[in-house]
Amino acid sequence: MRHGWNPYTDNGGSIIGIAGDDFVILAGDTRHTSGYNINSRDERKVYRLGENSSLVLATVGFGADAKDLAQTMRRAVEDFKFQHNLKDMTVSAAAQFLCTVLYGNRFFPKYAYCILGGLDKNGKARLYSYDPVGSYSKEGESRAAAGAASSLIVPFLDNQVEFKNQYIPSSKGTQERPVEHLDRDTVVRLVKDAFTGATERHIEVGDGLQIVTVSAQDGYQEEIMPLKRD
Amino acid sequence: MFRNNYDNDSVTFSPQGRIFQVEYALEAIKQGSAAVGLVSKTHAVLVALKRNAEELGSYQKKIIGIDSHLGIALAGLAPDARVLSNFMRSQSMSSRLLYNRPIPVSRVVNAIADKAQVNTQHYGRRPYGVGLLVAGVDETGPHLWEFQPSGMVLEYRGTAIGARSQSARTYLERNFESFENASKEELVLHGLKALRDSLAQDKELTTLNVSLAVVGIGKNFKLYDGDEVAEWLEKLGDTTSSRGGGARPSAADAPAGGAPVTTGDTEAGAMDTSE
Amino acid sequence: MNHFPEAWGRPRDDVYGSYDRSVFGHDAAGPTQHTQQPIVTGTSVVALKFKDGVVIAADNLASYGSLARFNDVERLRQVGTHTIVGASGDVSDMQFLYEKQLENLIIAEDYQEDGHGLRAKHIYSYLSRVMYHRRSKMDPLWNVLLVAGWDDGKPFLASADLLGTTFSSPALASGFGAHLAVPLLRRIAPDEASVANITREQAIKTIEECMKVLFYRDARSMNKYTMAIVTGKEGTNDEPDIEIQKDVSLKQQSWKFAEKIRGYGAQTV
């Protein structure tokens, strides 16, 4: 019997992205695992693509591939800037590029799930999410989650961001609550709730929560909130 | 057409021990408009005079950012400079990717020097027709290097290349002692004054024809172009040459003893590649 | 099964006849082979940050399966002026990294003589890229590496493994140490902030304790090890002091406690 070597592993953790009207929030926990081991309690998953960029990438899955993708993207965004007279890459261009990179590795995939966020030229939020071989929606989306606890987080976001299964009280369950953009404080609260919940129920999620906000008003902001370390 | 029988390629020495193709390449630098560079203890500055070939045409780019800690000013063939700057960028990127560090200025300069030298030793190749001033900051502080197509590179406290650059160098030689402790503003103004001195009689510095860039310890390479230059020209005041007329300086203009600012003399020392 | 590992898992000559090597043409040595498993191995490397630096240790044993094959192997290596690298896993891959890759890297760097030597984070970045690159070629270097040193004016400690996975933490241990040593280390270094309260002596004592616990319960360990202590000057990248203690013996090590343990081992009752 020959035991084949597996070039992949799963380093746990989860990421979330939520787009508001003129801001986008990406967040990820800071736990890094191998099986039942916690390798690190402070390994971040959300990357800013360039020093003054509005582009933010969150990656989760196989840690080495995830970091390599982040580095590839950062390099591409930087390179674009120098090749195009210091103009920033647009978020839609970065989104298409990430798709190309991921599909370029179709036959030896980068085993990482990506969420890309940023502001377009009108200062409106854009959010894209990808599978490991690059499929994504050009229209973007309002919320996304990936990683170990995505199956716990997605239904929560369905309900709280898309208002799924919410009805206008007076309609006796016949009229759906209309979807609207959430304000920033609400979104930050949702992100924190999603992760405290996931931390309770998933062993690979915890330690710390890195929350990155990019808004037309306040630019780039980053916050670390402690999560349970058990 | 030919100066002699020894300039058909860059692999043949003349009996006097010169390689004419390389010397012609150095002449190409002098065809380009002037670029000035200078350093203090905290900053490195590039200042350049842009030209437009035609009244209705745009101005040729003179300063190119390479990385957040590094940039170049060019004089000579701009397309050749693009090739070199693209190479420098890829070197710079590799350094960040492989070693997680911004490339040290001397390393990237030596990398292009090695590339340029190859062109002086292979049949069928042409030396780069461009000179560069490389300004950057690394862990050992701010640096200014001059690159020549011969493959020669030298570090300077201040120097200038391109057309009528001797006048700018003369200014730098006379003032270099105040560079070391100069503030960012003072350093840029010294650069502009040096550039101003290289102007022809009827010319002046304008927002259209001046490009300048500053990089400092902990401060990213910042390029000022077009309207962004206005604030600097305002601080400068007089935008015409202070030398009264644009004539080349006589030998007597140079300070006695030869200041150590510009040790490499681009006019005469073109073939000083043996050092 | 014989004792040639390269024959393991292959069709037996006495059953199938010897392999027809002519299919490789003139290259009778056979096809290019990639490491599928480690052969001679080193066990855990443990490391801990303290206020002014890092302590890192690894024992001197190289095992061939369960055979204690060599007992004088150095698994820590100083690389440049600011860095100690420790390797567990395949010893030949470790030697390739140390003697070839890192040696050549440092020679090339030193030759520049421009005051831009590689420090801990640079060596770590380089090693991470090498490890990830090799795994991507499906030809991994079968190691877990810990890189300890001094950088950006503070202690540096990070890990890279055969998959190219990288992470950093104030306390790290590879192999068995990830199970046995890390909990002990995290008692005094639960997070980055706590590093400021750990003294050099405390760090050394804790690492010594870990080596002892590992010797008690890791069957592929031995009681002789090498410990390196990197001590830097806070806030500067000046060359740190690197003290390498070789042939260290475990202190106050005794099997006496095992006498009362029942339920497994050689006891009959």
Side-chain angles (χ1 to χ4, degrees), chain C residues 28 186 224 244:
Chain C
R186 284 190 185 157
K224 181 163 70 80
I244 301 177

Side-chain angles (χ1 to χ4, degrees), chain A residues 42-105:
Chain A
D42 187 21
E43 202 64 34
R44 297 173 190 199
K45 296 181 184 68
V46 189
Y47 305 88
R48 188 178 195 186
L49 304 178
E51 257 173 82
N52 296 304
S53 177
S54 83
L55 299 172
V56 182
L57 175 69
T59 58
V60 69
F62 172 36
D65 277 348
K67 275 190 194 166
D68 186 63
L69 274 172
Q71 209 156 27
T72 305
M73 284 304 286
R74 211 181 312 178
R75 186 179 161 151
V77 168
E78 194 90 329
D79 231 12
F80 181 97
K81 203 171 165 147
F82 281 114
Q83 296 287 349
H84 295 81
N85 206 214
L86 301 180
K87 221 175 73 183
D88 284 317
M89 192 189 268
T90 61
V91 64
S92 57
Q96 179 57 42
F97 182 78
L98 178 54
C99 165
T100 312
V101 170
L102 289 166
Y103 194 78
N105 291 286

Side-chain angles (χ1 to χ4, degrees), chain B residues 29 35-40 43-48 62-75 80-81 84-89 91-92 103-114 116 130-138 141-149 151-161 187 213-216 221:
Chain B
I29 302 171
V36 177
L38 55 168
V39 273
S40 70
H43 291 82
V45 165
L46 293 172
V47 187
K62 290 286 283 181
I63 299 180
I64 302 172
I66 301 295
D67 201 338
S68 56
H69 69 297
L70 187 67
I72 59 169
L74 61 106
D80 285 17
L84 286 169
S85 68
N86 285 339
F87 175 73
M88 290 169 86
R89 260 177 212 158
Q91 292 286 306
S92 186
I103 198 165
V105 183
S106 60
R107 301 258 175 115
V108 72
V109 168
N110 283 320
I112 53 170
D114 291 350
V130 70
L132 304 178
L133 296 179
V134 183
V137 167
D138 57 32
H143 299 280
L144 172 70
W145 287 81
E146 185 197 346
F147 158 86
Q148 292 190 344
M152 192 178 74
V153 287
L154 276 177
E155 186 164 10
Y156 287 92
R157 292 155 76 177
T159 191
I161 56 172
L187 203 63
V214 188
V215 59
F221 186 85

Side-chain angles (χ1 to χ4, degrees), chain B residues 8-274:
Chain B
N8 288 307
D9 55 63
S10 63
V11 300
T12 313
F13 278 109
S14 81
Q16 289 77 38
R18 301 162 65 175
I19 299 172
F20 283 104
Q21 279 300 323
V22 173
E23 294 187 26
Y24 299 164
L26 296 169
E27 288 301 317
I29 302 171
K30 294 179 200 157
Q31 307 281 339
S33 59
V36 177
L38 55 168
V39 273
S40 70
K41 265 197 292 203
T42 53
H43 291 82
V45 165
L46 293 172
V47 187
L49 193 63
K50 291 188 290 186
R51 274 202 297 230
N52 53 347
E54 291 179 61
E55 194 68 18
L56 302 179
S58 63
Y59 284 79
Q60 176 59 48
K61 201 172 172 185
K62 290 286 283 181
I63 299 180
I64 302 172
I66 301 295
D67 201 338
S68 56
H69 69 297
L70 187 67
I72 59 169
L74 61 106
L77 302 181
D80 285 17
R82 269 178 62 80
V83 171
L84 286 169
S85 68
N86 285 339
F87 175 73
M88 290 169 86
R89 260 177 212 158
S90 73
Q91 292 286 306
S92 186
M93 283 286 193
S94 315
S95 175
R96 286 186 185 271
L97 201 65
L98 191 56
Y99 300 114
N100 186 24
R101 75 167 169 192
I103 198 165
V105 183
S106 60
R107 301 258 175 115
V108 72
V109 168
N110 283 320
I112 53 170
D114 291 350
K115 254 173 96 72
Q117 194 279 336
V118 169
N119 290 339
T120 70
Q121 225 179 0
H122 285 271
Y123 190 83
R125 308 198 85 153
R126 163 174 82 71
Y128 291 106
V130 70
L132 304 178
L133 296 179
V134 183
V137 167
D138 57 32
E139 289 187 342
T140 53
H143 299 280
L144 172 70
W145 287 81
E146 185 197 346
F147 158 86
Q148 292 190 344
S150 55
M152 192 178 74
V153 287
L154 276 177
E155 186 164 10
Y156 287 92
R157 292 155 76 177
T159 191
I161 56 172
R164 308 167 63 85
S165 59
Q166 180 55 53
S167 315
R169 282 200 297 280
T170 303
Y171 175 88
L172 296 172
E173 281 163 15
R174 287 180 178 157
N175 295 280
F176 78 95
E177 276 159 334
S178 58
F179 294 171
E180 188 173 348
N181 293 308
S183 67
K184 171 183 145 185
E185 279 72 24
E186 288 165 345
L187 203 63
V188 172
L189 290 182
H190 276 306
L192 285 169
K193 283 175 188 165
L195 189 70
R196 186 176 72 181
D197 280 5
S198 77
L199 288 169
Q201 205 167 3
D202 54 340
K203 291 280 172 22
E204 62 173 330
L205 301 179
T206 67
T207 54
L208 287 177
N209 68 12
V210 174
S211 262
L212 68 94
V214 188
V215 59
I217 296 172
K219 291 272 182 295
N220 283 351
F221 186 85
K222 168 100 175 80
L223 176 64
Y224 297 85
D225 230 343
D227 291 339
E228 297 165 308
V229 180
E231 50 163 324
W232 292 108
L233 294 182
E234 229 162 80
K235 283 180 193 153
L236 178 68
D238 187 5
T239 54
T240 55
S241 175
S242 61
R243 298 181 55 258
R248 295 185 69 84
S250 63
D253 274 355
V261 191
T262 52
T263 46
D265 183 358
T266 44
E267 308 291 336
M271 288 309 297
D272 285 354
T273 48
S274 54

Side-chain angles (χ1 to χ4, degrees), chain C residues 186-198:
Chain C
R186 284 190 185 157
R187 286 219 285 243
I188 63 165
D191 51 31
E192 202 62 53
S194 57
V195 170
N197 305 319
I198 305 173

